[in-house]
């Protein structure tokens, strides 16, 4: 198994990180850092956009290959603009592909122990990259570039590069280039290492090169926004188009104090992720704003995580202390579900304090005509959603990372004239952004495309007017002449501004966003950078490689397509063979063994039974574990698992679902149940139960001793030391479900999905716990996300189908089962045996409620069973086995798939998820282990 690393600490924005990159290995007992043997940093500043490129070489001193992983939040205005890895001694550039395809390709290639790398953006604005392998005793070169919009005051821009290092960097090199605007004559000083900027023809230059470098100081410098004029214009030619970027001082716009508001509704996000926000800065803004309003104010506070809490009312004259103290005492806990928020209609305005990183359900909220001000104070937030909400309601978006409390208060207190529109000849200028009314500060940025062929002769340029004003009309304009004078690479700025505009309606624009992302090397929420080692991998997964590999790629791709045409798909034929095999087994089961006198009863029930001691098990135990030196009988049985669940099969069929999320490594879980004869003519459905799993973690022993009313406060105290442990939330939630405290149990359990955004394994674990406890709607939302994250795996569709079936949405379940059957699934193709059983069970039970016209009649066959056991797990690329020992002592497992009494085991999935299934048409009396 690969060792997972954490690439920690690359400074990609100015406010949150303060050290050079570190590769940490969490080796259970202690942490190790991989040394940086070489660091080259290249900074280019054009106008107010800086691109910082980190070229890093890490050394792995260990005897095993390692996988590196980095996760960190991105701030508003930041983009990953480049990703490259060393492959066979040469640097290979990453290419942009759809996010899901990139992840599928990465995982498939890693299974072959080949070198891939991947970068993507998760929910909100979190950057993640994985690199494999970092060779044992060797090095790995990683290049990452970040583009960002610089902040500053009215006259200056500020750049900060924290490069403080605790350890010596063997080789360090820094190059900074600030491109001059036409006519600029200012001086730039850094005060770093006594190195000053040199002035060249087109730029200001700073260079520094050191060996065994270590510093406790960041690099900082200040750039005047404007030199001789009140605006800057940059252009560039790319693929036959001329892009321009204009930044200008805005005219003085009127500010009008807002009409006094008396009723304010505050939505306060107190989910798990709220701990990352600058809560004191948020509270300071809220306090200052409320106390600045004249007269008595009625405040309705609604806290929310996965659901809204009941409103709390506060009346404020001058002092907001009671409200602030109440908010300070809120406990941050649980997942976030924005689409569960119902915005108030009975208020003057709404303030939403949240990072808007939605972790359950869709990232959407239904707005109304009430103005909404969205306030955020943490990097890694869902800026596009917050901007959309405020824009739709004529409110404002406030980023406290970029603005002071004073600046933010002005936005809350005044209605200011805005940018409204442009005026230009569309035969000379096209696609200018931003393209919707926008509140601006002291300067404004515009980017568009010049149609150079249609410009007037000579040096004359295209005329562009920027219009400012309010809903009452235009009150100010600025006029510019846009000339084609190539000066700086600004096409990405234009593409970024267009993508930001398209993100307001992502679903409608996602294809166009993808094309822009690929053309201009911009990662979005639906795209990733990927680097592959072999040209064959680019061909297999149909990913257009970097330029130097494309000729070979096209040649190999043509051969692959030709071979594909010569080999027709035989899916339908294979499906028919599969269902016929199942029918044949069912219609001609083996005779019941004569050495057991138990006969099949018309009705059987399963009774609880204590686990059989190891020394009393069958004389025919399972073999040693693959890869283990221990025999089965040498291992004591672990604690019983969580309560199993019934899946609603027909009266002659009983499902024993082993749904244990505990990570197992070379251990066995033992389950026992007894089949007995029920002497009654009345047919009845039966249940299977096992003893509830009792985790022995110290915190669980503490909680079990408490009264139900004391559990919540004890949980929050214990959470301090267990905040990042998924098992803690899972185990505590099980206890709360047991105590019938479902709302608290859901809140606690849902923390798990916030620990690692878009992690399918954690999502599955949470969703199955919700299903076990009848919380179908939320489980469906989570399984829907898993399906969207991992559509190449049939388990994603099967899990959702099962959830739909339990919730009574039988047609949706049937459609998903049919989808699995009608598609290919590569390493998971054998799941169809199990899906055929489940689909036929659904049809047998609910035929009158289903439209089965799309189901091939050859696929339909009622096959009720006395015993059916399914085992599944949520961890990919792991091998967990199902073994069943029948009352005769005969075991059914991957090396002995059929028993004398008719038991059958399904395909042995050795690299991820399962499910594995034991089927028995006619059960004999006795204990099954």
């Amino acid at each position: 198994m690969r060792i997972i690393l954490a690439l920690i600490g690359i400074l990609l924005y100015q406010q949150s990180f303060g050290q050079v990159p570190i590769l940490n290995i969490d080796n259970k007992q202690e942490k190790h850092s991989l040394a940086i043997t070489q660091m080259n940093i290249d900074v280019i500043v054009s106008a107010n956009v800086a691109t910082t490129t980190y070229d890093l070489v890490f050394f792995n001193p260990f005897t095993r290959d390692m996988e590196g992983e980095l996760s960190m939040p991105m701030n508003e205005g930041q983009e990953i603009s480049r990703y490259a890895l060393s492959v066979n001694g040469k640097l290979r550039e990453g290419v942009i592909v759809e996010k899901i395809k990139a992840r599928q390709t990465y995982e498939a290639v890693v299974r072959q122990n080949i070198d891939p790398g991947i970068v993507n953006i998760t929910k909100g604005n979190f950057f993640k990259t994985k690199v494999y392998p970092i060779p044992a005793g060797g090095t790995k070169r990683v290049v990452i570039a970040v583009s960002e919009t610089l902040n500053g005051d009215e006259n200056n821009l500020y750049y900060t590069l924290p490069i403080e290092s605790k350890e010596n960097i063997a080789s360090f090199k820094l190059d900074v280039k600030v491109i001059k605007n036409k006519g600029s004559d200012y001086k730039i000083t850094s005060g770093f290492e006594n190195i000053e900027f040199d002035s060249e023809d087109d730029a200001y230059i700073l260079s520094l090169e050191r060996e065994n470098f270590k510093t406790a100081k960041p690099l900082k410098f200040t750039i005047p926004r404007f030199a001789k004029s009140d605006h800057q214009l940059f252009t560039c030619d790319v693929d036959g188009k001329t892009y321009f970027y204009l930044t200008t001082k805005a005219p003085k716009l009127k500010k009008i104090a807002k009409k006094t508001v008396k009723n304010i509704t505050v939505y306060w996000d107190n989910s798990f992720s709220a701990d990352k926000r600058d809560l004191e800065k948020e509270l300071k803004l809220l306090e200052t704003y409320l106390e600045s309003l004249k007269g008595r104010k009625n405040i309705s506070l609604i806290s929310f995580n996965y659901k809204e809490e009941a409103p709390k009312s506060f009346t404020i004259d001058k002092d907001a202390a009671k409200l602030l103290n109440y908010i300070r005492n809120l406990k941050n806990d649980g997942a976030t579900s924005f689409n569960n928020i119902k915005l108030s209609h009975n208020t003057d305005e709404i303030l939403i304090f949240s990072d808007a990183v939605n972790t359950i359900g869709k990232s959407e909220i239904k707005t109304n005509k009430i103005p909404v001000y969205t306030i955020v104070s943490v990097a890694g937030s869902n800026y596009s959603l917050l901007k959309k909400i405020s824009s739709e309601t004529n409110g404002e978006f406030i980023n406290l990372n970029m603005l002071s409390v004073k600046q933010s208060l002005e936005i809350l207190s005044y209605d200011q004239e805005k940018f409204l529109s442009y005026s230009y000849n569309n035969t000379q200028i096209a696609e200018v952004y931003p393209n919707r009314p926008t509140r601006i500060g002291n300067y404004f940025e515009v980017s568009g495309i010049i149609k150079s062929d249609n410009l007037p002769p000579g040096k004359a340029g295209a005329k562009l007017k920027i219009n400012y004003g309010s809903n009452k009309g235009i009150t100010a304009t600025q006029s510019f002449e846009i000339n084609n004078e190539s000066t700086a690479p600004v096409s990405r700025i234009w593409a970024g501004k267009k993508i930001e505009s398209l993100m307001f309606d992502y679903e409608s624009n996602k294809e166009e966003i993808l094309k822009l992302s690929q053309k201009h090397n911009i990662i979005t929420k639906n795209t990733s950078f990927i680097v592959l080692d072999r040209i064959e991998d680019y061909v297999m997964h149909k990913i257009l490689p970097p330029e130097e590999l494309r000729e070979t790629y096209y040649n190999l791709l043509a051969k692959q397509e030709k071979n594909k045409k010569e080999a027709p798909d035989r899916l339908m034929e294979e499906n028919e063979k599969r269902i016929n095999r199942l029918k044949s087994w069912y219609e001609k089961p083996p005779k019941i063994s004569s050495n057991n006198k138990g006969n099949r009863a018309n009705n059987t029930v399963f009774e609880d039974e204590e686990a059989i001691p190891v020394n009393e098990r069958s004389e025919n135990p399972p073999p040693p574990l693959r890869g283990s030196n221990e025999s089965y009988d040498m291992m004591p049985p672990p604690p019983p698992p969580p309560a199993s669940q019934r899946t609603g099969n027909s009266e002659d069929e009983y499902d024993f679902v082993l749904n244990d999320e505990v990570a197992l490594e070379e251990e066995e879980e033992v389950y026992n149940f007894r089949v007995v004869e029920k002497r009654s003519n009345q047919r009845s459905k039966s249940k299977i139960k096992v003893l509830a799993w009792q985790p022995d973690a110290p915190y669980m022993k503490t909680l079990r001793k408490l009264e139900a009313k004391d559990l919540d406060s004890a949980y929050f105290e214990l959470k301090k030391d267990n905040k990042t442990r998924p098992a803690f939330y899972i185990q505590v939630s099980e206890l709360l479900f047991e105590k019938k405290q479902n709302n608290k149990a859901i809140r606690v359990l849902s923390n798990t999905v916030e620990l690692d955004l878009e992690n399918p394994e954690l999502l599955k674990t949470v969703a199955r716990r919700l299903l076990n406890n009848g919380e179908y709607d939320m489980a469906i939302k989570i399984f829907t996300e898993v399906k969207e994250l991992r559509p190449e795996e049939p388990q994603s569709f099967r899990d959702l189908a099962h959830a739909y079936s339990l919730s009574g949405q039988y047609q949706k379940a049937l459609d998903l089962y049919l989808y699995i059957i009608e598609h290919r699934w590569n390493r998971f193709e054998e799941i169809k045996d199990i899906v055929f059983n489940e689909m036929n069970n659904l049809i047998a039970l609910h035929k009158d409620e289903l439209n089965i016209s799309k189901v091939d009649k050859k696929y339909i066959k009622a096959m009720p069973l006395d015993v059916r056991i399914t085992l599944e797990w949520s961890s990919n690329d792991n091998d967990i086995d199902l073994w069943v020992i029948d009352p005769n002592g005969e075991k059914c497992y991957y090396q002995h798939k059929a028993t004398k009494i008719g038991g059958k085991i399904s395909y042995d999935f050795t690299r991820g998820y399962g499910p594995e299934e034991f089927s028995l048409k006619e059960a004999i009396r006795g204990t099954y282990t």
Side-chain angles (χ1 to χ4, degrees):
M1 180 180 292
R2 301 190 307 279
I3 302 298
I4 304 295
L5 309 180
L7 276 162
I8 299 176
I10 291 183
L11 171 77
L12 295 186
Y13 60 88
Q14 301 172 17
Q15 297 173 352
S16 298
F17 293 87
Q19 61 180 38
V20 295
I22 297 172
L23 266 171
N24 277 343
I25 304 170
D26 188 356
N27 206 26
K28 294 185 180 180
Q29 301 298 324
E30 54 184 330
K31 289 188 176 182
H32 302 276
S33 297
L34 297 190
I36 299 173
T37 59
Q38 182 176 315
M39 175 187 287
N40 295 339
I41 301 178
D42 185 74
V43 182
I44 297 179
V45 180
S46 176
N48 62 336
V49 176
T51 300
T52 305
T53 302
Y54 302 85
D55 191 336
L56 310 164
V57 177
F58 295 99
F59 174 67
N60 174 16
F62 300 98
T63 57
R64 285 179 287 183
D65 291 355
M66 303 293 182
E67 181 180 49
E69 183 175 55
L70 161 67
S71 175
M72 60 186 166
M74 303 286 286
N75 219 330
E76 183 187 2
Q78 290 186 319
E79 299 166 346
I80 303 298
S81 55
R82 185 186 176 196
Y83 176 60
L85 291 176
S86 57
V87 175
N88 298 325
K90 294 183 178 181
L91 194 65
R92 178 163 297 171
E93 296 294 329
V95 293
I96 295 246
V97 296
E98 301 92 325
K99 184 177 180 179
I100 289 174
K101 185 174 185 177
R103 194 259 313 147
Q104 293 170 352
T105 303
Y106 177 85
E107 291 180 357
V109 172
V110 163
R111 290 187 193 103
Q112 304 171 52
N113 288 325
I114 300 172
D115 298 9
I118 187 173
V119 165
N120 58 53
I121 301 293
T122 65
K123 283 182 177 179
N125 210 23
F126 273 77
F127 161 81
K128 282 189 176 183
T129 181
K130 288 186 177 181
V131 180
Y132 177 80
I134 303 169
T139 61
K140 193 70 173 183
R141 183 183 176 194
V142 181
V143 176
I144 299 173
V146 181
S147 295
E148 61 182 314
T149 302
L150 298 180
N151 299 305
D153 56 29
E154 184 176 353
N155 300 309
N156 299 295
L157 298 170
Y158 303 117
Y159 180 89
T160 300
L161 177 69
I163 49 177
E164 299 95 321
S165 56
K166 295 180 180 178
E167 304 295 333
N168 286 347
I169 299 170
S171 175
F172 177 85
K173 190 171 186 290
L174 171 67
D175 290 297
V176 182
K177 182 177 183 179
V178 180
I179 297 175
K180 293 180 180 178
N181 187 35
K182 188 176 181 180
S184 63
D185 58 357
Y186 48 80
K187 185 179 181 181
I188 303 177
T189 59
S190 72
F192 179 78
E193 295 283 321
N194 295 318
I195 301 295
E196 300 297 339
F197 279 85
D198 295 323
S199 179
E200 297 186 354
D201 290 340
D202 64 341
Y204 302 96
I205 303 296
L206 180 148
S207 295
L208 173 69
E209 196 165 351
R210 296 282 189 274
E211 293 182 0
N212 297 316
F213 176 78
K214 187 164 83 171
T215 180
K217 295 172 58 179
L219 167 68
K220 294 183 179 182
F221 55 85
T222 301
I223 309 167
R225 281 192 188 275
F226 308 104
K228 292 182 178 179
S229 67
D230 60 357
H231 70 277
Q232 290 179 309
L233 175 66
F234 300 87
T235 66
C236 70
D237 294 321
V238 178
D239 296 334
K241 291 184 178 181
T242 300
Y243 299 88
F244 73 86
Y245 173 63
L246 171 71
T247 177
T248 178
K249 282 186 178 179
K252 290 196 173 182
L253 301 176
K254 293 179 182 178
K255 294 187 297 184
I256 303 171
K258 285 190 330 187
K259 182 180 178 182
T260 302
V261 293
K262 297 294 184 183
N263 302 296
I264 301 174
T265 302
V266 176
Y267 286 84
W268 190 273
D269 181 348
N270 70 316
S271 64
F272 180 89
S273 63
D275 282 348
K276 300 176 183 177
R277 304 195 332 245
D278 189 342
L279 299 179
E280 286 306 314
K281 193 172 184 179
E282 291 181 6
L283 288 172
K284 184 63 178 177
L285 174 61
L286 180 60
E287 177 185 29
T288 307
Y289 175 56
L290 294 179
E291 293 181 358
S292 72
L293 298 175
K294 296 179 181 179
R296 177 173 293 189
K297 287 80 65 177
N298 300 312
I299 311 301
S300 179
L301 177 75
I302 300 174
S303 60
F304 68 93
N305 40 44
Y306 80 93
K307 65 181 183 67
E308 286 185 4
E309 295 298 330
K312 299 289 183 182
S313 297
F314 298 85
T315 301
I316 296 176
D317 288 321
K318 295 181 180 179
D319 187 351
K322 287 184 179 179
L323 171 64
L324 301 179
N325 288 336
Y326 180 85
I327 293 175
R328 284 193 177 96
N329 288 323
L330 288 173
K331 303 290 188 181
N332 297 329
D333 203 50
T336 310
S337 186
F338 244 61
N339 58 352
N340 282 343
I341 298 174
K342 307 295 185 240
L343 292 181
S344 173
H345 289 74
N346 187 28
T347 189
D348 296 329
E349 69 181 23
I350 294 170
L351 310 180
I352 298 179
F353 291 83
S354 175
D355 60 11
V357 178
N358 199 74
T359 44
I360 294 181
K362 294 184 177 180
S363 296
E364 60 186 26
I365 186 171
K366 189 174 181 180
T367 57
N368 52 53
K369 294 182 179 179
I370 306 298
V372 179
Y373 294 80
T374 55
I375 298 109
V376 66
S377 64
V378 63
S381 298
N382 191 342
Y383 308 111
S384 59
L385 176 59
L386 294 171
K387 290 178 180 179
K388 180 180 179 182
I389 294 168
S390 59
S391 176
E392 287 176 347
T393 60
N394 199 32
E396 295 291 350
F397 166 70
I398 298 172
N399 187 344
L400 287 171
N401 270 339
M402 306 292 189
L403 301 172
S404 66
V405 170
K406 182 180 179 181
Q407 291 169 318
S408 302
L409 178 62
E410 188 169 288
I411 295 174
L412 284 171
S413 303
Y414 292 91
D415 286 327
Q416 179 182 297
E417 291 178 334
K418 303 179 178 183
F419 154 73
L420 292 182
S421 62
Y422 307 104
S423 299
Y424 55 84
N425 184 338
N426 58 17
T427 66
Q428 297 177 347
I429 294 178
E431 296 201 69
V432 185
Y433 297 96
N435 61 349
R436 55 173 45 86
T438 306
R439 183 169 181 148
I440 60 176
N442 297 312
Y443 62 94
F444 185 53
E445 303 169 33
V446 181
S447 189
I449 298 174
I450 308 171
K451 298 181 179 180
S452 301
D453 294 342
N454 296 334
L455 292 181
K459 293 186 177 181
K463 299 292 191 292
L464 174 70
K465 275 188 178 181
I466 304 175
N467 303 315
Y468 304 91
S470 65
N471 55 8
K472 295 179 180 179
I474 297 172
T475 61
T477 62
Q478 286 181 306
S479 298
F480 301 93
E481 191 172 274
I482 310 298
N483 295 294
N484 182 6
E485 297 179 358
S486 295
T487 52
V490 295
S491 59
R492 288 192 77 260
I493 299 175
W494 172 86
K497 289 186 177 298
K498 181 171 182 177
I499 287 172
E500 182 178 6
S501 176
L502 294 173
M503 288 292 288
F504 273 69
D505 187 2
Y506 173 77
E507 289 301 321
S508 299
N509 298 318
K510 60 184 177 182
E511 292 301 321
E512 189 172 3
I513 291 172
L514 173 61
K515 290 178 182 177
L516 283 167
S517 173
Q518 290 177 319
K519 182 174 181 179
H520 296 275
N521 267 22
I522 298 174
I523 293 184
T524 67
K525 73 175 188 178
N526 197 36
T527 57
S528 300
F529 270 117
I530 192 166
V531 176
L532 299 174
D533 180 8
R534 306 183 311 164
I535 185 63
E536 291 84 1
D537 294 318
Y538 287 99
V539 174
M540 178 181 295
H541 299 283
K542 294 186 178 178
I543 293 175
L544 188 65
E547 190 67 41
E548 69 270 15
L549 299 176
R550 288 186 183 174
E551 183 178 353
T552 306
Y553 169 81
Y554 286 123
N555 291 335
L556 291 174
L557 185 64
K559 292 180 182 179
Q560 185 189 72
E561 292 299 316
K562 181 181 178 181
N563 294 336
K564 187 177 179 180
K565 290 178 181 178
E566 294 173 352
D569 196 317
R570 304 185 183 278
L571 180 63
M572 295 293 291
E573 180 183 329
E574 292 169 9
N575 281 343
E576 286 186 30
K577 289 181 179 178
R578 190 178 300 279
I579 190 66
N580 287 337
R581 285 198 301 270
L582 290 172
K583 289 177 182 178
S584 177
W585 171 83
Y586 187 80
E587 291 167 355
K588 299 178 181 178
K591 293 182 180 179
I592 293 177
S593 176
S594 59
N595 66 357
N596 190 305
K597 297 181 180 180
N599 296 314
R600 180 185 182 220
N602 288 332
N603 294 284
T604 56
V605 296
F606 299 83
E607 295 183 335
D608 293 351
E609 181 175 5
E610 297 292 338
I612 301 174
V614 173
N615 58 5
E616 295 179 19
R617 289 187 195 151
S618 163
E619 295 179 359
N620 188 20
L625 283 168
R626 282 166 288 180
S628 169
N629 294 322
E630 301 283 354
S631 71
Y632 181 88
D633 283 342
M634 291 173 66
M635 296 184 180
S644 61
Q645 73 183 62
R646 186 114 192 285
T647 63
N649 290 345
S650 60
E651 292 178 357
D652 286 327
E653 180 179 354
Y654 307 97
D655 267 22
F656 183 40
V657 181
L658 310 185
N659 189 5
D660 189 357
E661 304 295 343
V662 180
L664 302 178
E665 184 174 344
E666 298 187 353
E667 294 181 4
E668 287 81 39
E669 291 280 5
V670 182
Y671 307 81
N672 299 277
F673 60 91
R674 183 185 295 278
V675 177
V676 298
E677 183 176 359
K678 181 177 181 180
R679 295 177 175 85
S680 170
N681 293 324
Q682 181 183 1
R683 296 174 64 83
S684 64
K685 293 185 178 180
S686 305
K687 297 181 179 179
I688 303 171
K689 292 183 179 179
V690 294
L691 293 176
W693 175 44
Q694 295 286 316
D696 57 1
Y699 51 78
M700 291 307 298
K701 294 178 180 178
T702 299
L703 290 173
R704 286 194 201 100
K705 296 176 182 177
L706 301 177
E707 298 289 332
K709 62 182 177 63
D710 299 323
L711 287 175
D712 212 33
S713 58
Y715 155 74
F716 280 110
E717 188 61 31
L718 291 165
K719 180 183 175 183
K720 296 175 183 177
D721 295 326
N722 296 281
K723 190 173 182 178
T724 61
R725 300 184 66 240
F728 171 71
Y729 300 108
I730 294 167
Q731 293 165 7
V732 174
S733 68
E734 287 294 317
L735 179 62
L736 291 169
F737 276 125
E738 181 186 320
K739 301 292 185 183
K740 308 301 181 186
Q741 297 186 22
N742 280 34
N743 285 336
K744 291 178 181 178
I746 296 170
R747 187 199 72 217
V748 171
L749 176 63
S750 67
N751 284 298
T752 311
V753 301
E754 297 228 334
L755 294 176
D756 187 13
L757 300 178
E758 299 184 2
N759 183 321
E761 298 183 1
L762 292 181
L763 290 167
K764 286 184 178 187
T765 299
V766 171
R768 286 172 179 164
R769 283 326 200 264
L770 292 168
L771 280 188
N772 288 350
N773 292 282
E775 301 292 342
Y776 303 136
D777 290 345
M778 187 176 290
I780 287 171
K781 289 179 180 179
I782 296 175
F783 278 135
T784 298
E785 181 178 354
V786 174
K787 178 176 70 71
E788 293 169 353
L789 288 172
R790 303 192 78 87
E792 79 280 11
E793 294 170 348
Q795 293 89 343
S796 302
F797 296 85
R798 177 179 174 265
D799 287 338
L800 182 56
H802 181 53
Y804 276 137
S805 180
L806 287 176
S807 68
Q809 301 181 67
Y810 304 122
Q811 188 64 49
K812 289 183 177 180
L814 177 63
D815 293 344
L816 288 170
Y817 285 137
L818 195 59
Y819 182 87
I820 296 172
I821 289 168
E822 292 179 345
H823 288 77
R824 287 201 178 276
W825 302 102
N826 298 320
R827 63 183 177 129
F828 294 124
E829 185 71 9
E830 298 302 321
I831 197 177
K832 289 181 179 178
D833 279 6
I834 295 163
V835 170
F836 267 125
N837 283 337
E838 292 172 344
M839 184 180 75
N840 276 298
N841 171 65
L842 186 71
I843 293 172
L845 287 172
H846 306 289
K847 187 174 183 179
D848 294 341
E849 303 166 73
L850 294 169
N851 177 359
I852 61 172
S853 59
K854 294 182 180 179
V855 183
D856 191 318
K857 292 182 179 178
K858 299 187 188 75
Y859 296 165
I860 300 176
K861 169 68 175 178
M863 294 180 283
L865 305 169
D866 275 1
V867 178
R868 177 174 176 266
I869 301 170
T870 60
L871 171 68
E872 57 198 53
W873 52 99
S874 63
S875 184
N876 195 5
D877 288 325
N878 275 277
D879 181 15
I880 298 179
D881 294 313
L882 173 62
W883 298 335
V884 178
I885 305 171
D886 65 27
N888 288 342
E890 187 176 9
K891 69 181 179 294
C892 198
Y893 69 113
Y894 62 90
Q895 287 186 340
H896 185 66
K897 295 189 173 183
T899 64
K900 293 179 182 178
I901 66 169
K904 175 175 72 72
I905 207 83
S906 65
Y907 178 82
D908 178 27
F909 286 109
T910 61
R911 298 200 69 174
Y913 302 134
E916 296 186 13
E917 175 190 65
F918 172 81
S919 305
L920 181 59
K921 181 179 179 181
E922 298 182 353
I924 63 173
R925 291 183 63 194
T927 297
Y928 294 74
T929 302

